[in-house]
Amino acid sequence: MRMIFVNLPVKNIEASRSFFTALGFSFNPEYSDDRTLCMIVEENIFVMLLQEERFRDFINGDIADAKSSTEVLTCLSAGSREEIDRMIATALASGGGSWKPVQDHGFMYAGSFQDPDGHVWELVHMTEQG
């Protein structure tokens, strides 16, 4: 079984914990400390939120400024259109920013937001085509 660990730099671990907790995510304490949070997305999907100085231990070069350029789009599936709308509203109320307007393509509904560090999170709900 494969696992995925998306690693993102953050400026403030506690601000990230508050933001993603408000969105309904939890954290694995075994892989978290005062500079690192292991956010659980699903059974085998994790986002490692690393304080910038800790993130530097894993990279060569500079950390991208996600507020001025886009380094990655992280897209998560959602169970419904309402879940997307609810998560976007919660993200905005919890210190996140707007990204692109919601897109309704009939079979696919998508929305997005930026977390407090500027990382882009997309949400998508697709109905079965038949």
Side-chain angles (χ1 to χ4, degrees), residues 4 23-25 39-43 45 47 73-88 107-113 120-127:
I4 185 170
L23 290 174
F25 292 100
M39 185 173 82
I40 302 165
V41 177
E42 284 288 331
E43 182 181 356
I45 304 170
V47 176
L73 299 174
T74 303
C75 184
L76 302 175
S77 61
S80 68
R81 293 169 178 238
E82 294 77 21
E83 180 183 359
I84 291 173
D85 293 341
R86 197 170 41 252
M87 284 188 76
I88 291 170
F107 72 96
M108 182 177 74
Y109 186 79
S112 57
F113 60 87
V120 176
W121 294 83
E122 294 183 320
L123 305 164
V124 63
H125 172 71
M126 292 188 284
T127 59

Coordinates of all heavy atoms in Angstrom, one line a residue, residues 4 23-25 39-43 45 47 73-88 107-113 120-127:
I4 N 0.8 8.9 0.5 CA 1.4 10.2 -0.1 C 1.5 11.2 1.1 O 0.6 11.3 1.9 CB 0.5 10.7 -1.2 CG1 1.1 11.9 -1.8 CG2 -0.9 11.0 -0.7 CD1 0.5 12.4 -3.1
L23 N -11.4 23.5 9.4 CA -11.9 22.9 8.1 C -12.3 21.4 8.4 O -12.7 20.7 7.5 CB -10.9 23.0 7.0 CG -10.7 24.4 6.5 CD1 -9.5 24.4 5.4 CD2 -12.0 24.9 5.8
G24 N -12.0 20.9 9.6 CA -12.4 19.5 9.9 C -11.3 18.5 9.9 O -11.6 17.3 10.0
F25 N -10.1 18.9 9.7 CA -9.0 18.0 9.6 C -8.4 17.7 11.0 O -8.5 18.6 11.9 CB -7.8 18.5 8.7 CG -8.2 18.6 7.2 CD1 -8.6 19.8 6.7 CD2 -8.2 17.4 6.5 CE1 -9.0 19.9 5.3 CE2 -8.6 17.5 5.1 CZ -9.0 18.7 4.6
M39 N -1.0 16.5 9.0 CA -2.5 16.6 8.8 C -3.0 15.3 8.1 O -2.4 14.9 7.0 CB -2.8 17.8 8.0 CG -4.3 18.1 7.9 SD -4.6 19.7 7.1 CE -4.4 19.3 5.4
I40 N -4.0 14.7 8.6 CA -4.6 13.5 8.0 C -5.7 13.9 7.1 O -6.7 14.6 7.5 CB -5.2 12.6 9.1 CG1 -4.1 12.3 10.1 CG2 -5.8 11.4 8.5 CD1 -4.7 11.7 11.4
V41 N -5.5 13.6 5.8 CA -6.6 13.8 4.8 C -7.4 12.6 4.7 O -8.7 12.7 4.7 CB -5.9 14.2 3.4 CG1 -7.0 14.4 2.4 CG2 -5.1 15.5 3.6
E42 N -6.8 11.4 4.5 CA -7.5 10.1 4.4 C -6.5 9.1 5.0 O -5.4 9.5 5.4 CB -7.8 9.8 3.0 CG -9.1 10.5 2.4 CD -10.4 10.0 3.0 OE1 -10.5 8.8 3.4 OE2 -11.3 10.8 3.1
E43 N -6.9 7.9 5.0 CA -6.1 6.8 5.6 C -4.6 6.8 5.1 O -3.7 6.6 5.9 CB -6.7 5.4 5.3 CG -6.0 4.3 5.9 CD -6.6 2.9 5.5 OE1 -7.7 2.9 4.9 OE2 -6.0 1.9 5.9
I45 N -3.3 9.4 3.0 CA -3.0 10.7 2.5 C -2.7 11.7 3.6 O -3.6 11.9 4.4 CB -4.1 11.2 1.5 CG1 -4.4 10.2 0.4 CG2 -3.7 12.6 0.9 CD1 -5.6 10.5 -0.4
V47 N -0.8 15.6 4.8 CA -0.1 16.9 4.4 C 0.8 17.2 5.6 O 0.3 17.4 6.7 CB -1.1 18.0 4.1 CG1 -0.4 19.3 3.8 CG2 -2.0 17.6 2.9
L73 N -1.0 23.1 -6.9 CA -2.5 23.1 -6.7 C -2.8 21.8 -6.0 O -2.5 20.7 -6.6 CB -3.3 23.2 -8.0 CG -3.0 24.5 -8.8 CD1 -3.8 24.3 -10.2 CD2 -3.5 25.7 -8.1
T74 N -3.3 21.8 -4.8 CA -3.6 20.6 -4.1 C -5.2 20.5 -4.2 O -5.9 21.3 -3.7 CB -3.2 20.6 -2.7 OG1 -1.8 20.9 -2.6 CG2 -3.5 19.3 -1.9
C75 N -5.6 19.4 -4.9 CA -7.0 19.2 -5.1 C -7.6 18.0 -4.4 O -7.0 16.9 -4.4 CB -7.3 19.0 -6.6 SG -9.1 18.9 -7.1
L76 N -8.6 18.2 -3.6 CA -9.3 17.2 -2.9 C -10.7 17.0 -3.4 O -11.4 17.9 -3.7 CB -9.4 17.6 -1.4 CG -8.0 17.9 -0.7 CD1 -8.3 18.4 0.8 CD2 -7.1 16.7 -0.6
S77 N -11.1 15.7 -3.4 CA -12.5 15.4 -3.8 C -13.4 15.8 -2.6 O -13.0 15.8 -1.4 CB -12.7 14.0 -4.1 OG -12.4 13.1 -3.0
A78 N -14.6 16.1 -2.9 CA -15.6 16.4 -1.9 C -16.9 15.6 -2.2 O -17.2 15.2 -3.3 CB -16.0 17.9 -2.0
G79 N -17.6 15.3 -1.1 CA -18.8 14.5 -1.2 C -20.0 15.2 -1.8 O -21.0 14.5 -2.3
S80 N -20.0 16.5 -1.8 CA -21.2 17.2 -2.4 C -20.8 18.7 -2.7 O -19.8 19.2 -2.3 CB -22.3 17.2 -1.4 OG -22.0 18.0 -0.2
R81 N -21.7 19.3 -3.4 CA -21.5 20.7 -3.7 C -21.6 21.5 -2.4 O -20.8 22.5 -2.2 CB -22.6 21.2 -4.7 CG -22.5 20.6 -6.1 CD -23.8 20.9 -6.9 NE -23.6 20.3 -8.2 CZ -23.7 21.1 -9.3 NH1 -23.9 22.3 -9.3 NH2 -23.5 20.5 -10.5
E82 N -22.5 21.1 -1.6 CA -22.7 21.8 -0.3 C -21.4 21.7 0.6 O -21.1 22.7 1.2 CB -23.9 21.2 0.5 CG -25.2 21.5 -0.2 CD -25.5 20.5 -1.4 OE1 -24.9 19.4 -1.5 OE2 -26.3 20.9 -2.2
E83 N -20.7 20.6 0.5 CA -19.5 20.5 1.3 C -18.5 21.5 0.8 O -17.7 22.1 1.5 CB -19.0 19.0 1.2 CG -17.7 18.8 1.9 CD -17.1 17.4 1.8 OE1 -17.7 16.6 1.1 OE2 -16.0 17.2 2.4
I84 N -18.4 21.6 -0.5 CA -17.4 22.6 -1.1 C -17.8 24.0 -0.7 O -16.9 24.7 -0.2 CB -17.4 22.5 -2.7 CG1 -16.8 21.1 -3.1 CG2 -16.7 23.7 -3.3 CD1 -16.9 20.9 -4.6
D85 N -19.0 24.4 -0.8 CA -19.4 25.7 -0.4 C -19.2 26.0 1.1 O -18.7 27.0 1.5 CB -20.9 25.9 -0.7 CG -21.2 26.0 -2.2 OD1 -20.3 26.2 -3.0 OD2 -22.4 25.7 -2.5
R86 N -19.4 25.0 1.9 CA -19.2 25.1 3.4 C -17.7 25.2 3.7 O -17.3 26.0 4.5 CB -19.8 23.8 4.0 CG -20.0 23.9 5.5 CD -20.9 22.8 6.1 NE -20.5 21.5 5.6 CZ -21.3 20.7 4.7 NH1 -22.5 21.2 4.3 NH2 -21.0 19.6 4.3
M87 N -16.9 24.4 3.0 CA -15.4 24.5 3.3 C -14.8 25.8 2.8 O -14.0 26.4 3.5 CB -14.7 23.3 2.6 CG -14.9 22.0 3.3 SD -13.8 20.7 2.7 CE -12.2 21.2 3.4
I88 N -15.3 26.3 1.7 CA -14.8 27.6 1.2 C -15.2 28.7 2.2 O -14.4 29.5 2.6 CB -15.3 27.9 -0.2 CG1 -14.6 27.0 -1.2 CG2 -15.0 29.4 -0.6 CD1 -15.2 27.0 -2.6
F107 N -21.7 18.3 -14.5 CA -21.2 17.0 -13.9 C -20.1 17.2 -12.9 O -19.8 16.3 -12.1 CB -20.7 16.1 -15.1 CG -19.4 16.6 -15.6 CD1 -18.2 16.0 -15.2 CD2 -19.4 17.6 -16.6 CE1 -17.0 16.5 -15.7 CE2 -18.2 18.0 -17.2 CZ -17.0 17.5 -16.7
M108 N -19.5 18.4 -12.9 CA -18.4 18.7 -12.0 C -18.6 20.1 -11.4 O -19.0 21.1 -12.1 CB -17.1 18.7 -12.7 CG -15.9 18.9 -11.8 SD -14.3 18.8 -12.7 CE -14.3 20.3 -13.6
Y109 N -18.5 20.2 -10.1 CA -18.6 21.4 -9.3 C -17.2 21.6 -8.6 O -16.8 20.7 -7.9 CB -19.7 21.3 -8.4 CG -20.1 22.6 -7.6 CD1 -20.8 23.6 -8.2 CD2 -19.7 22.7 -6.3 CE1 -21.2 24.7 -7.5 CE2 -20.0 23.9 -5.6 CZ -20.8 24.9 -6.2 OH -21.1 26.0 -5.5
A110 N -16.6 22.7 -8.8 CA -15.3 23.0 -8.2 C -15.2 24.3 -7.5 O -15.8 25.3 -8.0 CB -14.2 22.8 -9.3
G111 N -14.5 24.4 -6.5 CA -14.2 25.6 -5.8 C -12.8 25.6 -5.2 O -12.1 24.6 -5.3
S112 N -12.3 26.7 -4.8 CA -10.9 26.8 -4.3 C -10.8 27.9 -3.3 O -11.6 28.8 -3.2 CB -10.0 27.0 -5.4 OG -10.3 28.2 -6.2
F113 N -9.7 27.9 -2.5 CA -9.3 28.9 -1.6 C -7.8 28.8 -1.4 O -7.1 27.9 -1.8 CB -10.0 28.8 -0.3 CG -9.8 27.5 0.4 CD1 -8.7 27.3 1.3 CD2 -10.6 26.4 0.2 CE1 -8.5 26.1 2.0 CE2 -10.4 25.2 0.9 CZ -9.3 25.0 1.7
V120 N -2.7 27.0 -2.5 CA -4.0 26.9 -3.2 C -4.6 25.5 -2.9 O -3.9 24.4 -3.1 CB -3.9 27.1 -4.7 CG1 -5.3 26.9 -5.3 CG2 -3.4 28.5 -5.0
W121 N -5.8 25.4 -2.4 CA -6.5 24.2 -2.2 C -7.8 24.2 -3.1 O -8.6 25.1 -3.0 CB -6.9 24.1 -0.7 CG -5.8 23.9 0.2 CD1 -5.0 25.0 0.7 CD2 -5.2 22.7 0.7 NE1 -4.0 24.4 1.4 CE2 -4.1 23.1 1.4 CE3 -5.6 21.4 0.5 CZ2 -3.3 22.1 2.1 CZ3 -4.8 20.4 1.2 CH2 -3.7 20.8 1.9
E122 N -7.9 23.2 -3.9 CA -9.1 23.1 -4.8 C -9.9 21.9 -4.2 O -9.4 21.0 -3.7 CB -8.7 22.8 -6.2 CG -8.0 23.9 -6.9 CD -7.6 23.6 -8.4 OE1 -7.3 22.5 -8.7 OE2 -7.8 24.5 -9.2
L123 N -11.2 22.1 -4.4 CA -12.2 21.0 -4.0 C -13.0 20.7 -5.2 O -13.5 21.6 -6.0 CB -13.1 21.6 -2.9 CG -12.3 22.1 -1.7 CD1 -13.2 22.9 -0.8 CD2 -11.7 20.9 -0.9
V124 N -13.3 19.5 -5.5 CA -14.1 19.1 -6.6 C -15.1 18.0 -6.3 O -14.8 17.1 -5.5 CB -13.2 18.7 -7.8 CG1 -12.4 17.4 -7.5 CG2 -14.0 18.5 -9.1
H125 N -16.3 18.1 -6.8 CA -17.3 17.1 -6.7 C -17.8 16.8 -8.1 O -18.2 17.6 -8.8 CB -18.5 17.6 -5.8 CG -19.7 16.6 -5.8 ND1 -19.6 15.4 -5.2 CD2 -20.9 16.7 -6.5 CE1 -20.8 14.8 -5.3 NE2 -21.5 15.5 -6.1
M126 N -17.7 15.5 -8.4 CA -18.2 15.0 -9.7 C -19.3 14.0 -9.6 O -19.3 13.1 -8.7 CB -17.0 14.4 -10.5 CG -16.0 15.4 -10.8 SD -14.7 14.8 -11.9 CE -13.7 13.8 -10.8
T127 N -20.3 14.2 -10.4 CA -21.4 13.2 -10.5 C -21.1 12.2 -11.5 O -20.3 12.4 -12.4 CB -22.8 13.9 -10.8 OG1 -22.6 14.5 -12.1 CG2 -23.1 14.9 -9.8

